[in-house]
Amino acid sequence: MKVTTAVLALSLALPFAASAQDSIAVMSNEYPNTYSSGSANVYPFTQDSKRFNDWAISAGVGVPLLQTAELTSLKFGDNSPKNTWGYSAYLSIDKAITHAFGLKLQYDRGETRQGWFNTKNADATAAAPIGGRTQYDALSLLGDVNLSNLLRRVDNKSPYRWALHAYAGLGSLAYRAYVEDANGQRMTGEIKPFSLDSWFGQGGTGLKYRLTRSLDAEARLMYVYTGDDSFDGVVETSRKSDNFFNATLGLTYNIGKHESHLMWHDPLQEIYYKLDVLADKNQDIEVCKAGDNDNDGVCDDWDRQLDTPAGARVDGAGVALDTDLDGVIDLYDKCVTVPGPVENDGCPTSGPSNGGIITDDTRTLEGIEFDLNSDRILPSNTPILNNAINYINSTQGSYRVVGGTDTRASDAYNQNLSQRRANTVKNYLVQNGVNSGKLEAVGRGEKDLKYPECDPATKCPEWKNRANRRVYFEAK
C-alpha cells in the first residue's frame, strides 16, 4: 500500500463525534427533567465546558516478529535457524470517550523478515536455502480500555503516572511478500488495500508512563492476526493464518489546554479526595444551645411553650395539641374530638337542643372524608367515629347522617354515591353500639357543599374537593 493511500484514508476518518465527559455546573432557574440527566444546572456540552483534554496523537517504532508461519523471524525449529529482524512504525489519532475507554484510528507500516537468512544482506546458500520478507501497510480502528482506571484502588493516593491499557480492533492489511532462494529473489504474493481478503485483526497491551502534562511514553506488544496463509511468502498447506507479534516503543502527545487528559483522570480518587478534605474541616454546628427543658422534643430556641406538661403531644412550635379547640389540651381531654367545658374534662354536658347542622365550630364529625369515587371508611376516620359513638349515646336526641360529594361526575351519580357514604357511616355507628332508631342516613349529592364555590365550572384545589367529599351530622 502506498503511503498516500493510507494518509488519505486517515484524513477521511478524522471527524469523530465528541463524546461525554464532565461539564461545569452552573445555576439556572430551570427545573430538573428527564433530558438533563437529573439536573438542568449544566452548561451546554461545548468545547469550552470540558474539564479534560480528550484528543491525542501517538507514534512509535518497533520490531515485527513473524512467529506463526512456515517461515518465522525467531529461531523456531528447522524453518528458521537464526533470528531475522524487521522494522515497524505506527501513527494514530486517539479519542478518549470516557476515563476508561477510547478509540484509535491507527496506521501501521513495516517489514517482517523471516526464514534462513536476511534477504537484505545475504544470498541463498545450501546451508540457508530460503529467506523471506513482507512489506505491509495497515489501517485499523482499535478500542482502548484503560485497565488501571478500572482496577485502581480507590484508597491509592499515590501519583497516577503508570497506566496499563488493552487494545483490540479490526482493519485492512495490504502487503507484498518476497522470497529468495537459489533461483533468486521474487515476489510471491500481493494483497491490495481494502479488498475482501485484506481484513485483519490485532490486539494486545500497552504500559504507559506520564512524562509531562502533555507527553506520555508507552511500551506496547500487539498480536496481529493476518487471516492469510501466504503472508510469509510461502503458500502453506497446513496453516490457516500467518500471524506475528509487533513490539513497539512510542510517545503520545495529549492535545488541549487543560491540565489533565481524560484517560489520566481517576473519578473515584477525586471523590475520595474531596471527602477527605471535607472530613478535615472542623464544622462546629451547635444545635439546641438552650436545650429542651420541658422534654417535648422541640428545642427551647424556637419553643413557643416552654412548660409543656410531660407526655403531651406538641406541634412543630412546641405547643401542646388541642384537637377540638375547647381549651383542654389532648393530654387531659377525655373527648379529644368533641369540644366541651374544662370542668367536664373537655366533654360535652348535653346534646344539641335546637335543630340544624352540627357546625364546623363544634367539630363533632369534622374530618370524615372519603377518597374520590369511594364510600370506604378510611383508617384515619376511625378515632373520630368512635368518639362520635360516645357523643351520640350520651344524648337523647336523634340525628341525620348526611353524605356529600364534590362536583365532579353527574348529579345522579353523585346522589347515589353520597347515599352510599351516609349508609356506610350509619352502619358503622350501629355496629358499634348506637341505637339505629336515633340515626337516619341521607344523601345530598353535590347540593350541600362545604365549599360551595367549587361548582362544576370552577377548578378547585384538591383539598377543597376532598373536604366536600364528607359525611356530617344534623340534629333532627
Side-chain angles (χ1 to χ4, degrees):
M1 179 192 299
K2 295 183 179 180
V3 177
T4 54
T5 304
V7 172
L8 176 61
L10 185 63
S11 63
L12 291 176
L14 281 181
F16 281 104
S19 300
Q21 62 169 307
D22 293 347
S23 58
I24 303 172
V26 296
M27 295 303 296
S28 75
N29 294 323
E30 298 179 32
Y31 190 79
N33 56 72
T34 303
Y35 304 102
S36 61
S37 300
S39 174
N41 296 328
V42 294
Y43 280 124
F45 189 71
T46 63
Q47 190 66 27
D48 293 336
S49 69
K50 293 181 179 179
R51 291 176 53 199
F52 308 101
N53 303 322
D54 53 6
W55 287 95
I57 298 176
S58 298
V61 295
V63 178
L65 301 170
L66 192 61
Q67 195 62 22
T68 307
E70 187 71 20
L71 300 179
T72 58
S73 301
L74 298 178
K75 292 181 179 180
F76 190 76
D78 297 332
N79 295 332
S80 295
K82 66 175 295 183
N83 297 325
T84 53
W85 309 102
Y87 69 88
S88 66
Y90 69 86
L91 176 67
S92 69
I93 303 295
D94 311 333
K95 167 66 177 176
I97 307 300
T98 70
H99 71 287
F101 179 75
L103 294 174
K104 290 177 175 289
L105 182 64
Q106 181 167 300
Y107 169 67
D108 291 272
R109 182 177 178 83
E111 181 177 283
T112 64
R113 292 173 184 167
Q114 57 272 353
W116 290 68
F117 60 93
N118 188 334
T119 61
K120 287 292 187 178
N121 54 27
D123 295 326
T125 65
I130 188 171
R133 61 186 175 91
T134 304
Q135 298 172 342
Y136 68 88
D137 297 272
L139 186 67
S140 57
L141 182 64
L142 301 176
D144 177 1
V145 178
N146 188 338
L147 298 176
S148 291
N149 262 342
L150 292 177
L151 305 176
R152 185 173 170 83
R153 287 172 56 109
V154 296
D155 59 348
N156 189 344
K157 300 180 181 180
S158 61
Y160 189 14
R161 303 189 70 89
W162 291 94
L164 182 65
H165 289 246
Y167 306 106
L170 298 173
S172 177
L173 175 70
Y175 68 86
R176 289 190 181 94
Y178 301 87
V179 295
E180 184 175 348
D181 54 20
N183 297 320
Q185 188 173 139
R186 63 191 181 278
M187 185 173 70
T188 59
E190 181 178 14
I191 295 295
K192 297 292 186 179
F194 303 109
S195 59
L196 291 178
D197 53 355
S198 70
W199 296 105
F200 82 107
Q202 62 174 323
T205 60
L207 183 62
K208 280 191 172 184
Y209 179 75
R210 190 176 187 183
L211 297 173
T212 67
R213 180 181 69 85
S214 302
L215 197 63
D216 307 331
E218 181 179 20
R220 190 186 300 181
L221 180 64
M222 303 291 289
Y223 184 74
V224 179
Y225 179 86
T226 69
D228 195 321
D229 63 356
S230 58
F231 182 83
D232 62 350
V234 177
V235 178
E236 306 165 24
T237 58
S238 60
R239 300 183 185 274
K240 295 182 179 180
S241 176
D242 296 337
N243 307 326
F244 63 92
F245 290 96
N246 192 15
T248 59
L249 294 175
L251 294 174
T252 298
Y253 177 71
N254 300 314
I255 304 171
K257 62 182 179 180
H258 300 291
E259 181 65 25
S260 180
H261 190 273
L262 184 57
M263 279 288 193
W264 286 107
H265 174 61
D266 184 355
L268 288 177
Q269 189 182 42
E270 180 182 14
I271 291 172
Y272 273 75
Y273 170 75
K274 291 179 179 179
L275 291 176
D276 290 342
V277 171
L278 291 175
D280 291 340
K281 291 185 177 180
N282 185 15
Q283 300 180 5
D284 294 328
I285 302 176
E286 187 175 356
V287 180
C288 226
K289 293 182 180 180
D292 179 15
N293 292 318
D294 55 5
N295 293 317
D296 60 358
V298 180
C299 291
D300 291 351
D301 297 344
W302 50 83
D303 196 334
R304 293 174 54 193
Q305 189 179 58
L306 297 175
D307 57 350
T308 304
R313 295 184 304 157
V314 298
D315 58 20
V319 178
L321 294 179
D322 180 11
T323 302
D324 54 12
L325 303 178
D326 59 0
V328 181
I329 64 174
D330 292 353
L331 179 66
Y332 304 133
D333 197 332
K334 293 184 179 179
C335 299
V336 176
T337 60
V338 182
V342 176
E343 56 272 14
N344 198 36
D345 295 326
C347 290
T349 56
S350 63
S353 58
N354 55 345
I357 297 175
I358 298 178
T359 66
D360 192 15
D361 294 334
T362 65
R363 303 183 67 180
T364 304
L365 279 179
E366 194 63 25
I368 299 183
E369 300 171 354
F370 293 82
D371 287 335
L372 181 65
N373 192 27
S374 172
D375 60 355
R376 183 177 66 89
I377 293 177
L378 300 174
S380 58
N381 294 330
T382 304
I384 301 174
L385 288 172
N386 292 340
N387 280 288
I389 292 170
N390 296 331
Y391 177 78
I392 293 171
N393 287 337
S394 67
T395 67
Q396 299 301 317
S398 58
Y399 301 88
R400 293 188 187 92
V401 182
V402 183
T405 68
D406 58 29
T407 58
R408 290 175 284 191
S410 65
D411 291 345
Y413 181 85
N414 284 334
Q415 176 61 40
N416 177 268
L417 179 60
S418 65
Q419 186 66 52
R420 284 160 42 202
R421 288 171 175 168
N423 291 339
T424 298
V425 173
K426 176 185 175 182
N427 292 338
Y428 181 90
L429 298 177
V430 171
Q431 292 171 4
N432 287 274
V434 176
N435 187 341
S436 62
K438 300 177 70 173
L439 301 175
E440 177 188 4
V442 177
R444 291 182 179 167
E446 57 186 75
K447 298 182 179 64
D448 189 8
L449 301 175
K450 182 175 181 179
Y451 293 98
E453 66 269 20
C454 294
D455 55 52
T458 304
K459 183 174 178 59
C460 276
E462 180 56 26
W463 66 270
K464 285 189 176 182
N465 286 327
R466 188 173 186 86
N468 283 333
R469 301 193 297 266
R470 58 181 178 146
V471 167
Y472 59 91
F473 273 2
E474 282 183 351
K476 298 171 64 176

